């Protein structure tokens, strides 16, 4: 970073194209020290081109600052006019405002934008090497002339006057008489010519710089949006990301972009979006299908004929008497069940058959885990504990607890998503574990009406003794069991074990359809 000091004594003007206070530049230097990718990019570019680390710093600050200001050309050192032109075109690109919505105030996102811009900038630097060489020759000519280099525009305006004054024997800038300094006149003229040539080269390159800047900005917008969407899909909020150290955030992003988790992100995002919509529609004790007329005192369901009595003074007393006695005629309806208060427990089958792919290449495991993560969100919105139970054969079980009064650590969430046990399928052990957790919650916190969701692609038998104990526990604790048979229609057939166990059971055949489980998020 030898070219990032801010001002070179041999040149007049700034080496940083974006005006920034020392604290903002500290943010850049700190991030540069932490990011191996940025250092590698800077080393690669610096080995082939001059002043490129300054260019990367300017690109970072333009994306990071709340209100970035690109310096005027007259403020810049001649050797950095090319950098200034690139950053000005980046800031003027059509997508720059969209980029800053992702990066402003977020050093990690701003660094990600710089790395995304790198391919376009690398190609631009290769194609415009003569432009920067002309700028460096101008700066060197000015140093050889024994005066500070001026900007190309300023030199063009003053070159003729300076040469004329020296030729007429006028006093030079250092106070010496004209004849004594006459040898400096050719050097000054050479510097002016070099600066004019640099300016012309930069002007000729401007259309190419503009095109490259637009390409770079578009790429940065795409990359930063994709990563933001990836984090949102996995439930990692913006505030949590801002508090996360750079190295941890970079590792998390890499983990989510690779392997199985990368393929699940879009599905998880759709599940979360669907669940959000269902939550917005959900009303506890919501009125459902009308099934007749009954008597009561619920004024929200009073028949219009009853309300008409209020319009007749002589019948208002009759209405009041019937209201007090609970004998008003009301619409009778069959509403949705009230939501629970106890924990939400997702029992997810991870037997070998769950690796099987359905439409769109989505595996049964991916659909099941995405549904379970949406249930985790559901529980947190309702301030209920969530427990994820992964099961397969009777001897394989793993429990992940997420209490409502504590944040859900992203590492633990990812561990739940990635864990796969393999083997066969047994219902008894995971359901017994779920009932035991609800019993513990009931005994210690007096919370009942928990909800268990069993997600499986297989059917297995249960013993008569276990069934009796299960029914006793359900009666005592008041929990509900929802069943989702993923790619296993026979498991939901009449007389199946799942049908006997579940209060609510449905088959899931199209793994691209997240709405197949939509009503689950209204009931839980």
């Amino acid at each position: 970073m030898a070219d990032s000091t801010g001002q070179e004594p041999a040149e007049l003007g700034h080496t940083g194209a974006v005006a920034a206070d020392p604290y903002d530049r500290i943010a850049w230097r700190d991030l540069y020290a932490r990011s191996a990718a940025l250092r590698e990019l800077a080393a690669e570019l610096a080995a082939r081109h001059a002043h490129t680390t300054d260019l990367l710093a300017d690109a970072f600050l333009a994306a990071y600052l709340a209100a970035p200001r690109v310096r005027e050309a007259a403020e810049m050192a001649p050797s950095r006019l090319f950098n200034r032109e690139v950053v000005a075109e980046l800031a003027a690109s059509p997508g720059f405002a969209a980029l800053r919505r992702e990066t402003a105030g977020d050093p990690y996102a701003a660094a990600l934008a710089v790395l995304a811009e790198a391919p376009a900038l690398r190609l631009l630097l290769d194609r415009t090497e003569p432009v920067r060489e002309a700028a460096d020759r101008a700066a060197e000519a000015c140093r050889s002339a024994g005066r500070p280099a001026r900007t190309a525009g300023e030199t063009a305006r003053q070159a003729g006057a300076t040469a004329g004054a020296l030729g007429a024997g006028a006093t030079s800038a250092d106070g010496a008489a004209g004849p004594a300094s006459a040898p400096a006149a050719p050097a000054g003229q050479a510097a002016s010519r070099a600066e004019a040539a640099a300016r012309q080269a930069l002007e000729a390159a401007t259309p190419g710089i503009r095109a490259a800047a637009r390409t770079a900005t578009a790429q940065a917008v795409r990359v930063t949006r994709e990563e933001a969407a990836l984090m949102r899909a996995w439930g990692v909020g913006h505030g949590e990301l801002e508090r996360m150290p750079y190295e941890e955030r970079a590792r998390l992003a890499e983990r989510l972009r690779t392997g199985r988790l990368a393929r699940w992100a879009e599905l998880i995002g759709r599940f979360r979006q669907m669940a959000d919509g269902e939550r917005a529609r959900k009303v506890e004790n919501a009125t459902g299908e009308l099934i007749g007329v009954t008597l009561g005192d619920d004024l929200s369901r009073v028949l219009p004929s009853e309300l008409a009595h209020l319009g007749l003074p002589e019948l208002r007393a009759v209405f009041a008497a019937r209201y007090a006695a609970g004998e008003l005629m009301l619409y009778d309806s069959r509403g949705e069940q009230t939501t629970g208060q106890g924990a939400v427990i997702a029992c997810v089958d991870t037997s070998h058959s769950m690796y099987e792919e359905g439409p769109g290449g989505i595996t049964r495991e991916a659909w099941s885990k995405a549904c379970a993560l949406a249930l985790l969100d559901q529980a947190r919105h309702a301030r209920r504990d969530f427990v994820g139970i992964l099961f397969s054969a009777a001897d394989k079980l793993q429990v992940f607890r997420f209490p409502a009064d504590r944040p859900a650590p992203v590492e633990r969430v990812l561990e739940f998503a990635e864990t796969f046990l393999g083997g066969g399928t047994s219902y008894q052990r995971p359901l017994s574990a779920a009932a035991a957790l609800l019993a513990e919650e009931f005994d210690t916190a007096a919370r009942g009406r928990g909800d268990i969701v069993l997600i499986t692609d297989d059917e297995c038998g249960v013993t008569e003794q276990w069934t009796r104990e299960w029914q006793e526990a359900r009666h005592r604790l008041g929990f509900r069991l929802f069943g989702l048979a993923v790619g296993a229609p026979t498991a939901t057939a009449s007389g199946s074990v799942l049908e006997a166990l579940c209060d609510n059971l449905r088959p899931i055949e199209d793994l691209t359809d997240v709405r197949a489980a939509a009503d689950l998020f209204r009931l839980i």
Side-chain angles (χ1 to χ4, degrees):
M1 294 178 64
D3 59 353
S4 301
T5 58
Q7 180 113 5
E8 291 185 0
E11 283 189 279
L12 179 67
H14 293 276
T15 58
V18 177
D21 62 37
Y23 294 103
D24 295 323
R25 295 201 175 274
I26 287 173
W28 159 251
R29 289 195 292 270
D30 180 65
L31 195 71
Y32 184 91
R34 293 173 180 273
S35 172
L38 277 179
R39 294 196 303 274
E40 291 170 4
L41 175 61
E44 176 205 339
L45 296 180
R48 298 156 55 192
H49 310 288
H51 318 308
T52 49
T53 306
D54 280 341
L55 176 59
L56 296 181
D58 285 332
F60 169 84
L61 292 169
Y64 171 69
L65 295 182
R69 180 180 73 84
V70 179
R71 299 185 194 275
E72 297 295 330
E75 301 178 67
M76 297 300 299
S79 61
R80 305 307 198 278
L81 279 173
F82 176 84
N83 289 1
R84 187 263 171 199
E85 190 69 17
V86 172
V87 175
E89 292 296 344
L90 285 173
S93 298
F96 191 69
L99 174 64
R100 286 182 38 72
R101 283 194 288 271
E102 304 291 342
T103 62
D106 186 341
Y108 175 89
L112 183 65
V114 173
L115 294 171
E117 292 165 350
L121 294 179
R122 187 183 293 114
L123 184 59
L124 174 64
L125 289 168
D126 289 340
R127 289 177 175 175
T128 57
E129 182 67 24
V131 179
R132 284 168 293 103
E133 288 177 348
D136 287 340
R137 285 195 297 270
E140 181 58 33
C142 291
R143 284 192 289 269
S144 298
R147 65 171 174 80
R150 301 184 186 276
T151 65
E154 186 181 355
T155 299
R157 291 192 301 271
Q158 299 187 6
T162 302
L166 290 174
T171 303
S172 64
D174 60 0
S181 58
Q189 292 171 352
S192 298
R193 289 194 297 270
E195 288 185 313
R199 185 187 71 251
Q200 292 170 359
L202 184 58
E203 289 174 351
T206 296
I209 295 173
R210 182 175 300 120
R214 292 186 176 192
T215 300
T217 301
Q219 178 70 0
V221 169
R222 184 186 67 79
V223 170
T224 53
R225 280 181 173 173
E226 284 180 356
E227 180 152 318
L230 184 66
M231 295 297 178
R232 285 194 298 270
W234 284 96
V236 186
H238 185 69
E240 185 178 357
L241 287 175
E242 287 189 335
R243 293 188 298 270
M244 197 176 292
Y246 177 86
E247 297 88 344
E248 182 180 344
R249 186 167 171 181
R251 287 194 301 268
L252 174 61
E254 180 64 21
R255 185 176 179 182
L256 295 181
R257 279 195 297 263
T258 58
R260 291 188 302 155
L261 299 184
R263 298 194 297 273
W264 296 359
E266 191 271 339
L267 179 64
I268 292 171
R270 287 196 288 125
F271 252 106
R272 283 199 154 107
Q273 185 177 18
M274 177 272 291
D276 285 343
E278 295 305 314
R279 272 194 297 274
R281 295 174 53 193
K282 184 172 78 171
V283 179
E284 291 197 17
N285 297 311
T287 301
E289 179 187 3
L290 294 176
I291 59 174
V293 176
T294 187
L295 299 179
D297 59 1
D298 186 350
L299 295 177
S300 67
R301 295 189 290 132
V302 175
L303 266 62
S305 58
E306 290 276 33
L307 290 174
H309 294 163
L310 293 174
L312 300 173
E314 60 272 21
L315 294 179
R316 287 176 185 169
V318 175
F319 181 93
R322 294 180 65 181
Y323 173 68
E327 295 179 352
L328 294 174
M329 288 191 293
L330 312 176
Y331 287 118
D332 193 12
S333 63
R334 179 164 51 218
E336 293 178 343
Q337 294 172 277
T338 57
T339 56
Q341 297 174 339
V344 177
I345 303 178
C347 298
V348 181
D349 188 347
T350 60
S351 59
H352 283 308
S353 57
M354 293 291 282
Y355 273 136
E356 186 173 330
E357 291 186 355
I362 298 173
T363 65
R364 295 173 179 179
E365 180 202 12
W367 194 97
S368 302
K369 296 280 183 66
C371 183
L373 291 175
L375 287 169
L376 168 59
D377 284 351
Q378 188 84 350
R380 301 199 76 76
H381 276 84
R383 296 181 176 85
R384 300 168 67 182
D385 290 351
F386 176 82
V387 182
I389 298 179
L390 303 181
F391 71 93
S392 56
D395 61 339
K396 294 185 177 181
L397 189 84
Q398 194 160 345
V399 178
F400 297 80
R401 303 185 72 161
F402 299 92
D405 58 353
R406 277 171 269 168
V410 64
E411 286 292 327
R412 188 67 171 161
V413 172
L414 294 181
E415 185 183 357
F416 169 66
E418 289 181 312
T419 300
F420 193 88
L421 303 177
T425 303
S426 171
Y427 294 164
Q428 290 188 188
R429 190 173 178 205
L431 291 178
S432 294
L437 288 168
L438 292 176
E440 176 188 341
E441 182 182 42
F442 183 81
D443 293 338
T444 59
R447 286 199 298 268
R449 290 168 51 207
D451 290 309
I452 303 172
V453 181
L454 177 65
I455 310 175
T456 183
D457 71 338
D458 202 358
E459 186 175 15
C460 66
V462 293
T463 67
E464 184 177 343
Q465 175 64 27
W466 180 88
T467 302
R468 282 197 298 269
E469 293 172 356
W470 170 258
Q471 295 296 350
E472 290 171 3
R474 182 154 62 174
H475 177 72
R476 183 172 79 91
L477 302 173
F479 60 76
R480 297 176 294 181
L481 176 61
F482 298 85
L484 298 174
V486 184
T490 58
T492 62
S494 178
S496 68
V497 173
L498 278 180
E499 186 194 40
L501 292 176
C502 296
D503 301 286
N504 185 303
L505 175 64
R506 76 210 63 199
I508 305 297
E509 298 180 8
D510 183 359
L511 301 186
T512 64
D513 181 15
V514 300
R515 298 207 60 81
D519 64 323
L520 192 68
F521 294 89
R522 292 196 301 273
L523 298 174
I524 291 180

